[in-house]
Amino acid sequence: MTDFFCDVVSALIELTRLQWMLGGGKRWQPGEKLRLLFAGYNGTRNTGSDVRVNEMLRQIRHVLGAENTDFSVMTRF
């Protein structure tokens, strides 16, 4: 079942990439918040994964500034 979900996500990523290549989507413009999506496995038996994600977000927010960023994190519970 996991392979099926991986295939679906992979297909969605490729579809989005193709749409972007064909002129879909909107480019980032200076002055807009930089929208970042963090995707990773942070579930059971992955000790410390939540700490790593939190630290990545903290460091990027520190470098770019909280007012310039908009973060999203995919989680599994």
mmCIF file of all heavy atoms in Angstrom, residues 28-58:
data_model
loop_
_atom_site.group_PDB
_atom_site.id
_atom_site.type_symbol
_atom_site.label_atom_id
_atom_site.label_comp_id
_atom_site.label_asym_id
_atom_site.label_seq_id
_atom_site.Cartn_x
_atom_site.Cartn_y
_atom_site.Cartn_z
ATOM 1 N N TRP A 28 7.404 33.671 -7.984
ATOM 2 C CA TRP A 28 7.626 34.470 -6.786
ATOM 3 C C TRP A 28 8.112 35.853 -7.206
ATOM 4 O O TRP A 28 8.918 35.999 -8.128
ATOM 5 C CB TRP A 28 8.666 33.782 -5.903
ATOM 6 C CG TRP A 28 9.064 34.593 -4.714
ATOM 7 C CD1 TRP A 28 8.412 34.670 -3.524
ATOM 8 C CD2 TRP A 28 10.192 35.457 -4.608
ATOM 9 N NE1 TRP A 28 9.064 35.516 -2.680
ATOM 10 C CE2 TRP A 28 10.165 36.018 -3.325
ATOM 11 C CE3 TRP A 28 11.216 35.804 -5.471
ATOM 12 C CZ2 TRP A 28 11.132 36.905 -2.891
ATOM 13 C CZ3 TRP A 28 12.179 36.697 -5.028
ATOM 14 C CH2 TRP A 28 12.129 37.236 -3.751
ATOM 15 N N GLN A 29 7.626 36.877 -6.548
ATOM 16 C CA GLN A 29 8.037 38.253 -6.815
ATOM 17 C C GLN A 29 8.659 38.843 -5.554
ATOM 18 O O GLN A 29 8.218 38.540 -4.441
ATOM 19 C CB GLN A 29 6.817 39.097 -7.216
ATOM 20 C CG GLN A 29 6.126 38.648 -8.484
ATOM 21 C CD GLN A 29 7.004 38.846 -9.709
ATOM 22 O OE1 GLN A 29 7.731 39.820 -9.814
ATOM 23 N NE2 GLN A 29 6.948 37.885 -10.621
ATOM 24 N N PRO A 30 9.689 39.676 -5.712
ATOM 25 C CA PRO A 30 10.270 40.343 -4.537
ATOM 26 C C PRO A 30 9.183 41.072 -3.749
ATOM 27 O O PRO A 30 8.294 41.691 -4.331
ATOM 28 C CB PRO A 30 11.275 41.327 -5.150
ATOM 29 C CG PRO A 30 11.638 40.731 -6.463
ATOM 30 C CD PRO A 30 10.383 40.053 -6.952
ATOM 31 N N GLY A 31 9.251 40.954 -2.448
ATOM 32 C CA GLY A 31 8.251 41.565 -1.575
ATOM 33 C C GLY A 31 7.196 40.574 -1.110
ATOM 34 O O GLY A 31 6.522 40.815 -0.120
ATOM 35 N N GLU A 32 7.033 39.457 -1.833
ATOM 36 C CA GLU A 32 6.099 38.410 -1.406
ATOM 37 C C GLU A 32 6.792 37.505 -0.398
ATOM 38 O O GLU A 32 8.005 37.348 -0.421
ATOM 39 C CB GLU A 32 5.678 37.543 -2.592
ATOM 40 C CG GLU A 32 4.801 38.211 -3.600
ATOM 41 C CD GLU A 32 4.426 37.251 -4.727
ATOM 42 O OE1 GLU A 32 4.827 36.074 -4.666
ATOM 43 O OE2 GLU A 32 3.759 37.699 -5.654
ATOM 44 N N LYS A 33 5.999 36.891 0.458
ATOM 45 C CA LYS A 33 6.557 35.891 1.361
ATOM 46 C C LYS A 33 6.996 34.681 0.558
ATOM 47 O O LYS A 33 6.335 34.286 -0.406
ATOM 48 C CB LYS A 33 5.531 35.451 2.407
ATOM 49 C CG LYS A 33 5.273 36.477 3.468
ATOM 50 C CD LYS A 33 4.393 35.905 4.541
ATOM 51 C CE LYS A 33 4.293 36.873 5.698
ATOM 52 N NZ LYS A 33 3.657 36.269 6.854
ATOM 53 N N LEU A 34 8.125 34.112 0.932
ATOM 54 C CA LEU A 34 8.606 32.895 0.302
ATOM 55 C C LEU A 34 7.877 31.721 0.941
ATOM 56 O O LEU A 34 7.965 31.504 2.149
ATOM 57 C CB LEU A 34 10.115 32.755 0.501
ATOM 58 C CG LEU A 34 10.784 31.574 -0.162
ATOM 59 C CD1 LEU A 34 10.614 31.639 -1.679
ATOM 60 C CD2 LEU A 34 12.259 31.525 0.195
ATOM 61 N N ARG A 35 7.118 30.985 0.151
ATOM 62 C CA ARG A 35 6.334 29.860 0.662
ATOM 63 C C ARG A 35 7.149 28.585 0.493
ATOM 64 O O ARG A 35 7.530 28.223 -0.615
ATOM 65 C CB ARG A 35 5.018 29.753 -0.081
ATOM 66 C CG ARG A 35 4.145 30.976 0.139
ATOM 67 C CD ARG A 35 2.852 30.887 -0.599
ATOM 68 N NE ARG A 35 2.074 29.781 -0.043
ATOM 69 C CZ ARG A 35 1.152 29.135 -0.707
ATOM 70 N NH1 ARG A 35 0.872 29.447 -1.948
ATOM 71 N NH2 ARG A 35 0.483 28.157 -0.136
ATOM 72 N N LEU A 36 7.410 27.914 1.597
ATOM 73 C CA LEU A 36 8.194 26.690 1.591
ATOM 74 C C LEU A 36 7.386 25.550 2.190
ATOM 75 O O LEU A 36 6.719 25.716 3.203
ATOM 76 C CB LEU A 36 9.479 26.868 2.403
ATOM 77 C CG LEU A 36 10.421 27.976 1.934
ATOM 78 C CD1 LEU A 36 11.553 28.162 2.916
ATOM 79 C CD2 LEU A 36 10.953 27.657 0.556
ATOM 80 N N LEU A 37 7.456 24.395 1.552
ATOM 81 C CA LEU A 37 6.799 23.194 2.051
ATOM 82 C C LEU A 37 7.883 22.207 2.453
ATOM 83 O O LEU A 37 8.751 21.867 1.654
ATOM 84 C CB LEU A 37 5.914 22.563 0.972
ATOM 85 C CG LEU A 37 5.321 21.199 1.315
ATOM 86 C CD1 LEU A 37 4.352 21.311 2.492
ATOM 87 C CD2 LEU A 37 4.636 20.601 0.104
ATOM 88 N N PHE A 38 7.843 21.758 3.683
ATOM 89 C CA PHE A 38 8.787 20.767 4.181
ATOM 90 C C PHE A 38 8.081 19.422 4.230
ATOM 91 O O PHE A 38 7.028 19.284 4.855
ATOM 92 C CB PHE A 38 9.272 21.145 5.588
ATOM 93 C CG PHE A 38 10.173 22.336 5.591
ATOM 94 C CD1 PHE A 38 9.650 23.616 5.563
ATOM 95 C CD2 PHE A 38 11.547 22.177 5.594
ATOM 96 C CE1 PHE A 38 10.467 24.717 5.550
ATOM 97 C CE2 PHE A 38 12.382 23.279 5.583
ATOM 98 C CZ PHE A 38 11.837 24.544 5.559
ATOM 99 N N ALA A 39 8.654 18.460 3.552
ATOM 100 C CA ALA A 39 8.071 17.118 3.525
ATOM 101 C C ALA A 39 9.128 16.129 3.989
ATOM 102 O O ALA A 39 10.258 16.143 3.517
ATOM 103 C CB ALA A 39 7.604 16.771 2.117
ATOM 104 N N GLY A 40 8.756 15.276 4.900
ATOM 105 C CA GLY A 40 9.678 14.274 5.396
ATOM 106 C C GLY A 40 8.939 13.313 6.304
ATOM 107 O O GLY A 40 7.792 13.548 6.671
ATOM 108 N N TYR A 41 9.617 12.253 6.669
ATOM 109 C CA TYR A 41 9.000 11.283 7.559
ATOM 110 C C TYR A 41 9.337 11.645 8.985
ATOM 111 O O TYR A 41 10.505 11.690 9.367
ATOM 112 C CB TYR A 41 9.472 9.869 7.234
ATOM 113 C CG TYR A 41 8.849 8.855 8.156
ATOM 114 C CD1 TYR A 41 7.503 8.533 8.034
ATOM 115 C CD2 TYR A 41 9.582 8.256 9.165
ATOM 116 C CE1 TYR A 41 6.901 7.629 8.882
ATOM 117 C CE2 TYR A 41 8.992 7.344 10.019
ATOM 118 C CZ TYR A 41 7.660 7.034 9.875
ATOM 119 O OH TYR A 41 7.070 6.144 10.723
ATOM 120 N N ASN A 42 8.332 11.942 9.753
ATOM 121 C CA ASN A 42 8.556 12.249 11.162
ATOM 122 C C ASN A 42 7.538 11.513 12.016
ATOM 123 O O ASN A 42 6.867 12.081 12.835
ATOM 124 C CB ASN A 42 8.524 13.758 11.419
ATOM 125 C CG ASN A 42 7.262 14.407 10.921
ATOM 126 O OD1 ASN A 42 6.459 13.785 10.259
ATOM 127 N ND2 ASN A 42 7.078 15.671 11.258
ATOM 128 N N GLY A 43 7.455 10.216 11.783
ATOM 129 C CA GLY A 43 6.482 9.409 12.502
ATOM 130 C C GLY A 43 7.120 8.532 13.556
ATOM 131 O O GLY A 43 8.215 8.773 14.043
ATOM 132 N N THR A 44 6.425 7.471 13.889
ATOM 133 C CA THR A 44 6.849 6.544 14.923
ATOM 134 C C THR A 44 8.214 5.946 14.595
ATOM 135 O O THR A 44 8.535 5.688 13.448
ATOM 136 C CB THR A 44 5.813 5.412 15.033
ATOM 137 O OG1 THR A 44 4.527 5.990 15.203
ATOM 138 C CG2 THR A 44 6.103 4.506 16.202
ATOM 139 N N ARG A 45 8.997 5.733 15.630
ATOM 140 C CA ARG A 45 10.335 5.142 15.540
ATOM 141 C C ARG A 45 11.326 5.993 14.747
ATOM 142 O O ARG A 45 12.295 5.503 14.213
ATOM 143 C CB ARG A 45 10.267 3.735 14.939
ATOM 144 C CG ARG A 45 9.496 2.771 15.808
ATOM 145 C CD ARG A 45 9.695 1.347 15.316
ATOM 146 N NE ARG A 45 8.867 0.461 16.087
ATOM 147 C CZ ARG A 45 7.846 -0.212 15.596
ATOM 148 N NH1 ARG A 45 7.540 -0.119 14.337
ATOM 149 N NH2 ARG A 45 7.140 -0.996 16.371
ATOM 150 N N ASN A 46 11.061 7.266 14.627
ATOM 151 C CA ASN A 46 11.995 8.175 13.984
ATOM 152 C C ASN A 46 12.360 9.232 15.018
ATOM 153 O O ASN A 46 12.038 10.407 14.888
ATOM 154 C CB ASN A 46 11.376 8.795 12.731
ATOM 155 C CG ASN A 46 12.423 9.406 11.830
ATOM 156 O OD1 ASN A 46 13.603 9.376 12.140
ATOM 157 N ND2 ASN A 46 11.997 9.963 10.732
ATOM 158 N N THR A 47 13.054 8.795 16.048
ATOM 159 C CA THR A 47 13.366 9.630 17.196
ATOM 160 C C THR A 47 14.138 10.879 16.779
ATOM 161 O O THR A 47 15.119 10.798 16.067
ATOM 162 C CB THR A 47 14.211 8.838 18.216
ATOM 163 O OG1 THR A 47 13.496 7.656 18.546
ATOM 164 C CG2 THR A 47 14.475 9.660 19.458
ATOM 165 N N GLY A 48 13.669 12.012 17.237
ATOM 166 C CA GLY A 48 14.347 13.267 16.975
ATOM 167 C C GLY A 48 13.949 13.943 15.682
ATOM 168 O O GLY A 48 14.399 15.050 15.400
ATOM 169 N N SER A 49 13.119 13.307 14.876
ATOM 170 C CA SER A 49 12.761 13.896 13.587
ATOM 171 C C SER A 49 12.032 15.218 13.757
ATOM 172 O O SER A 49 12.253 16.159 12.993
ATOM 173 C CB SER A 49 11.924 12.926 12.770
ATOM 174 O OG SER A 49 10.709 12.647 13.428
ATOM 175 N N ASP A 50 11.182 15.314 14.777
ATOM 176 C CA ASP A 50 10.463 16.565 14.998
ATOM 177 C C ASP A 50 11.417 17.673 15.412
ATOM 178 O O ASP A 50 11.249 18.832 15.033
ATOM 179 C CB ASP A 50 9.366 16.381 16.050
ATOM 180 C CG ASP A 50 9.874 15.770 17.344
ATOM 181 O OD1 ASP A 50 10.944 15.133 17.318
ATOM 182 O OD2 ASP A 50 9.203 15.922 18.372
ATOM 183 N N VAL A 51 12.471 17.323 16.129
ATOM 184 C CA VAL A 51 13.461 18.308 16.542
ATOM 185 C C VAL A 51 14.239 18.812 15.327
ATOM 186 O O VAL A 51 14.507 20.004 15.194
ATOM 187 C CB VAL A 51 14.425 17.712 17.592
ATOM 188 C CG1 VAL A 51 15.532 18.690 17.944
ATOM 189 C CG2 VAL A 51 13.652 17.295 18.825
ATOM 190 N N ARG A 52 14.580 17.914 14.411
ATOM 191 C CA ARG A 52 15.305 18.315 13.200
ATOM 192 C C ARG A 52 14.473 19.269 12.353
ATOM 193 O O ARG A 52 14.973 20.279 11.865
ATOM 194 C CB ARG A 52 15.709 17.087 12.384
ATOM 195 C CG ARG A 52 16.835 16.301 13.022
ATOM 196 C CD ARG A 52 17.368 15.243 12.072
ATOM 197 N NE ARG A 52 16.385 14.229 11.725
ATOM 198 C CZ ARG A 52 16.167 13.114 12.415
ATOM 199 N NH1 ARG A 52 16.857 12.873 13.501
ATOM 200 N NH2 ARG A 52 15.278 12.243 12.004
ATOM 201 N N VAL A 53 13.207 18.951 12.166
ATOM 202 C CA VAL A 53 12.329 19.821 11.380
ATOM 203 C C VAL A 53 12.204 21.180 12.049
ATOM 204 O O VAL A 53 12.311 22.228 11.400
ATOM 205 C CB VAL A 53 10.936 19.179 11.184
ATOM 206 C CG1 VAL A 53 9.960 20.166 10.565
ATOM 207 C CG2 VAL A 53 11.037 17.926 10.344
ATOM 208 N N ASN A 54 12.001 21.190 13.345
ATOM 209 C CA ASN A 54 11.877 22.444 14.078
ATOM 210 C C ASN A 54 13.142 23.288 13.942
ATOM 211 O O ASN A 54 13.067 24.502 13.750
ATOM 212 C CB ASN A 54 11.580 22.157 15.550
ATOM 213 C CG ASN A 54 11.204 23.401 16.301
ATOM 214 O OD1 ASN A 54 10.479 24.240 15.801
ATOM 215 N ND2 ASN A 54 11.719 23.533 17.513
ATOM 216 N N GLU A 55 14.288 22.658 13.996
ATOM 217 C CA GLU A 55 15.549 23.386 13.881
ATOM 218 C C GLU A 55 15.751 23.938 12.465
ATOM 219 O O GLU A 55 16.239 25.056 12.286
ATOM 220 C CB GLU A 55 16.727 22.495 14.286
ATOM 221 C CG GLU A 55 18.055 23.199 14.300
ATOM 222 C CD GLU A 55 18.143 24.377 15.266
ATOM 223 O OE1 GLU A 55 17.306 24.481 16.181
ATOM 224 O OE2 GLU A 55 19.056 25.197 15.088
ATOM 225 N N MET A 56 15.360 23.169 11.443
ATOM 226 C CA MET A 56 15.447 23.679 10.071
ATOM 227 C C MET A 56 14.585 24.924 9.919
ATOM 228 O O MET A 56 15.022 25.926 9.346
ATOM 229 C CB MET A 56 15.001 22.615 9.069
ATOM 230 C CG MET A 56 15.993 21.518 8.848
ATOM 231 S SD MET A 56 15.539 20.420 7.501
ATOM 232 C CE MET A 56 14.051 19.656 8.088
ATOM 233 N N LEU A 57 13.362 24.853 10.408
ATOM 234 C CA LEU A 57 12.460 25.994 10.320
ATOM 235 C C LEU A 57 13.022 27.199 11.070
ATOM 236 O O LEU A 57 12.989 28.323 10.571
ATOM 237 C CB LEU A 57 11.082 25.636 10.863
ATOM 238 C CG LEU A 57 10.321 24.545 10.122
ATOM 239 C CD1 LEU A 57 9.039 24.214 10.862
ATOM 240 C CD2 LEU A 57 10.044 24.936 8.702
ATOM 241 N N ARG A 58 13.566 26.969 12.246
ATOM 242 C CA ARG A 58 14.126 28.053 13.046
ATOM 243 C C ARG A 58 15.275 28.742 12.316
ATOM 244 O O ARG A 58 15.345 29.966 12.249
ATOM 245 C CB ARG A 58 14.610 27.529 14.401
ATOM 246 C CG ARG A 58 15.047 28.636 15.362
ATOM 247 C CD ARG A 58 15.854 28.102 16.533
ATOM 248 N NE ARG A 58 17.147 27.594 16.128
ATOM 249 C CZ ARG A 58 18.204 28.361 15.814
ATOM 250 N NH1 ARG A 58 18.111 29.661 15.835
ATOM 251 N NH2 ARG A 58 19.356 27.812 15.468
#
